[in-house]
Amino acid sequence: KAVRDQLIDAMNAWLRVEPPILVKIKELIKILHESSLLIDDIQDNSKMRRGQPAAHLIYGISEVINIANLKYFEAGRIALELGNMTTAKNIDKSEPSRIFHDWMIKLHQGQGLDIYWRDHYICPTVEEYIDMVLKKTGGLMMLAFDLMVIFRNEAAHDIKFDATTGHHFLETFSKFFQIRDDYCNLWDEKYIANKSYCEDLTEGKFSWVIVQGIIKENEMGTTQVMSILKQRTTSDSIKRHCCNLLESLHVKSETLEYLHVLEGDLREQISGLGGNSHFSKIIDLLSPDRIKTA
């Protein structure tokens, strides 16, 4: 997704990292993102990716796993190369590699939680779900940011976008991005066309909307959502029933309302940090108002 490149450019409007270094950071993030999608599709048994058959259905699982693992190591090599570019910054050359490995661990921890809940039919709490999102969805964004902070221009040290405010902003953005994605998986026309209809239900994934539905049903003493999730159904009629059920539980409307709250929070943070037209355009692009409901 081009959003990650746009995010790096937006952050750089504040941090002003030199172009040769920024190119390497972008390359590292691009490699990790694309290779993680290859693995994700295998782990989720996905059939489609961006409107095309998933890579493992064309090239086979073994070859795709090997390619993705190779790319992980290539990304690690770029982190080492960045370490050799820290001399002028008076920073330990091992720092980029340390940041890389710290976030790679967190990314895999987040993915592991997602898989564990799915395979053992354990519904996480809202707090557990958010913790997973900050590791899995937020990981690459945080990795890029932490690397950029090392190489920020000296003239940018008066900017309010620092390690504390930057992490807070990206945590909010990660929640917004993932919850929006969970909502779109069930109800967005464009998303359904590029993947498949309500793919999260077939995967048995505990997405934000599913977790909210199960919590509401637990309070009522019913279990339809959890029961449907356990079936890993491919039936469109059952999926439609589940979507209608979630809508009747007000999960759809409340999730959309929460997305608007997060959008407002992001815009307030951008303004408080001095304004950033790049970030504002990204939020405009991802605004819940642009989602066309199926």
Side-chain angles (χ1 to χ4, degrees), residues 58-75:
I58 297 174
Y59 301 105
I61 290 175
S62 298
E63 185 171 347
V64 171
I65 289 175
N66 193 66
I67 290 169
N69 286 339
L70 171 64
K71 290 296 182 180
Y72 285 155
F73 288 111
E74 287 182 2

Side-chain angles (χ1 to χ4, degrees), residues 116-125 200-207 209-218 221-233 238 241-243 245-246 249:
Y116 180 77
W117 297 332
R118 179 196 71 194
D119 290 354
H120 294 273
Y121 306 110
I122 297 171
C123 181
T125 64
D200 283 351
L201 295 178
T202 302
E203 291 176 11
K205 180 180 178 180
F206 286 95
S207 68
V209 291
I210 295 299
V211 170
Q212 294 297 323
I214 290 172
I215 290 172
K216 285 178 176 288
E217 278 210 307
N218 284 343
T222 56
T223 60
Q224 280 197 64
V225 177
M226 176 65 95
S227 297
I228 291 171
L229 201 66
K230 287 181 177 179
Q231 304 307 314
R232 308 284 175 93
T233 184
I238 297 297
H241 173 77
C242 189
C243 288
L245 175 60
L246 291 170
L249 292 168

Side-chain angles (χ1 to χ4, degrees), residues 246-266:
L246 291 170
E247 193 164 352
S248 71
L249 292 168
H250 306 293
V251 170
K252 182 180 180 181
S253 59
E254 289 176 4
T255 299
L256 196 59
E257 183 180 340
Y258 185 46
L259 285 172
H260 279 112
V261 170
L262 290 172
E263 178 186 10
D265 187 3
L266 287 169

Side-chain angles (χ1 to χ4, degrees), residues 19-220:
I21 295 172
L22 195 69
V23 167
K24 284 197 171 292
I25 292 174
K26 280 187 174 182
E27 183 184 2
L28 185 154
I29 297 301
K30 181 175 184 289
I31 288 172
L32 288 180
H33 177 58
E34 292 182 348
S35 54
S36 69
L37 293 182
L38 295 175
I39 298 295
D40 280 357
D41 284 347
I42 293 171
Q43 292 173 329
D44 296 342
N45 196 28
S46 296
K47 307 301 181 188
M48 301 286 288
R49 170 64 63 179
R50 295 171 184 166
Q52 300 295 323
H56 63 279
L57 297 180
I58 297 174
Y59 301 105
I61 290 175
S62 298
E63 185 171 347
V64 171
I65 289 175
N66 193 66
I67 290 169
N69 286 339
L70 171 64
K71 290 296 182 180
Y72 285 155
F73 288 111
E74 287 182 2
R77 184 167 59 188
I78 294 173
L80 289 173
E81 291 171 1
L82 284 169
N84 293 326
M85 302 170 79
T86 60
T87 307
K89 297 289 182 181
N90 195 29
I91 296 169
D92 189 322
K93 65 185 296 183
S94 67
E95 187 66 2
S97 187
R98 182 195 65 77
I99 290 170
F100 170 81
H101 286 95
D102 282 352
W103 279 111
M104 284 296 285
I105 289 170
K106 290 177 183 177
L107 280 159
H108 283 79
Q109 288 173 336
Q111 178 73 347
L113 286 170
D114 209 14
I115 294 170
Y116 180 77
W117 297 332
R118 179 196 71 194
D119 290 354
H120 294 273
Y121 306 110
I122 297 171
C123 181
T125 64
V126 169
E127 291 76 17
E128 289 170 337
Y129 173 88
I130 293 299
D131 177 64
M132 179 275 294
V133 166
L134 297 183
K135 290 175 178 173
K136 179 181 174 180
T137 307
L140 287 183
M141 304 177 203
M142 296 290 196
L143 169 57
F145 172 72
D146 285 349
L147 289 174
M148 292 174 72
V149 167
I150 293 177
F151 295 100
R152 69 187 300 177
N153 191 295
E154 291 299 321
H157 278 285
D158 59 334
I159 297 296
K160 297 176 182 177
F161 192 64
D162 57 23
T164 301
T165 58
H167 277 195
H168 177 62
F169 177 83
L170 290 175
E171 285 174 0
T172 307
F173 185 86
S174 299
K175 289 188 288 185
F176 174 73
F177 191 85
Q178 186 59 58
I179 293 171
R180 180 187 182 278
D181 192 71
D182 290 349
Y183 178 93
C184 288
N185 191 278
L186 299 194
W187 290 297
D188 179 45
E189 287 180 353
K190 185 176 180 181
Y191 195 106
I192 292 168
N194 285 331
K195 295 281 281 182
S196 61
Y197 181 57
C198 300
E199 187 178 52
D200 283 351
L201 295 178
T202 302
E203 291 176 11
K205 180 180 178 180
F206 286 95
S207 68
W208 173 268
V209 291
I210 295 299
V211 170
Q212 294 297 323
I214 290 172
I215 290 172
K216 285 178 176 288
E217 278 210 307
N218 284 343
E219 294 171 354
M220 297 166 55

